[in-house]
Amino acid sequence: MADASSRPAENFFEPKSPVRNATTVAYQAAVVGALVSVLQNALSSHKAGALGVLTRTGGTIGMFTAMGAVFAFTEATVANERQKDDAFNGVVGGCAAGFLAGIRTRSLPMALGSCAVAGAAMGTFDYAGQLAGERRQVREEKQKRFFKTPPISLQRTSPPE
């Protein structure tokens, strides 16, 4: 009879904290939004000076923050509800974030289109494994299966105490 350690790692689900994920991603997205806002401010001609980062293009920071938080919260919530960690969670999270971006334009067709595009993009990234990454245990198991183990005579042993 197989024990819990011999089961495949794919069947293991670790619950995610939606609030913690949303907060972490919101902070990261805020930094990216601030950089984009700085670039927008630097490349446009205006008389607001350096404060234009906050006064003229500051909405970019808020939008990036909101989209990041909505994506992470939705992805974690869907994963917890389904108890699966797969690409579908990224599709739903991307769709929610894209819908938020489309709503900013005050157009329902744009919101639905953004939902489809962002959902497809995030689902593709998750499916390819580029965004989600893999757990350290899974990676170590793959390495053990791939690489040969050295003969006993060549293995390093600790000196006797």
Side-chain angles (χ1 to χ4, degrees), residues 10-60:
E10 296 120 21
N11 295 337
F12 177 73
F13 174 74
E14 185 177 336
K16 301 176 181 180
S17 171
V19 175
R20 185 180 329 140
N21 286 0
T23 303
T24 302
V25 173
Y27 286 139
Q28 294 168 350
V31 170
V32 173
L35 292 174
V36 171
S37 181
V38 165
L39 288 174
Q40 286 176 329
N41 188 53
L43 296 176
S44 64
S45 59
H46 56 84
K47 296 180 183 181
L51 282 177
V53 171
L54 299 174
T55 59
R56 295 187 71 250
T57 59
T60 303

Side-chain angles (χ1 to χ4, degrees), residues 38-123:
V38 165
L39 288 174
Q40 286 176 329
N41 188 53
L43 296 176
S44 64
S45 59
H46 56 84
K47 296 180 183 181
L51 282 177
V53 171
L54 299 174
T55 59
R56 295 187 71 250
T57 59
T60 303
I61 301 169
M63 193 63 191
F64 271 66
T65 304
M67 285 180 64
V70 165
F71 168 76
F73 186 86
T74 305
E75 184 184 38
T77 303
V78 171
N80 289 342
E81 187 65 32
R82 297 177 61 233
Q83 293 189 353
K84 290 183 180 178
D85 197 9
D86 58 2
F88 184 72
N89 303 331
V91 170
V92 176
C95 180
F99 192 83
L100 182 64
I103 288 296
R104 184 178 187 190
T105 65
R106 297 187 179 116
S107 167
L108 188 59
M110 181 65 103
L112 294 175
S114 298
C115 169
V117 170
M122 295 309 296

Side-chain angles (χ1 to χ4, degrees), residues 8-10 127-129 133-149:
E10 296 120 21
Y127 186 75
E134 56 184 24
R135 286 189 219 81
R136 185 179 190 132
Q137 291 174 331
V138 174
R139 191 176 24 202
E140 288 174 358
E141 288 174 13
K142 285 181 181 180
Q143 286 176 351
K144 285 180 183 177
R145 279 186 267 134
F146 181 77
F147 294 110
K148 295 179 182 178
T149 56

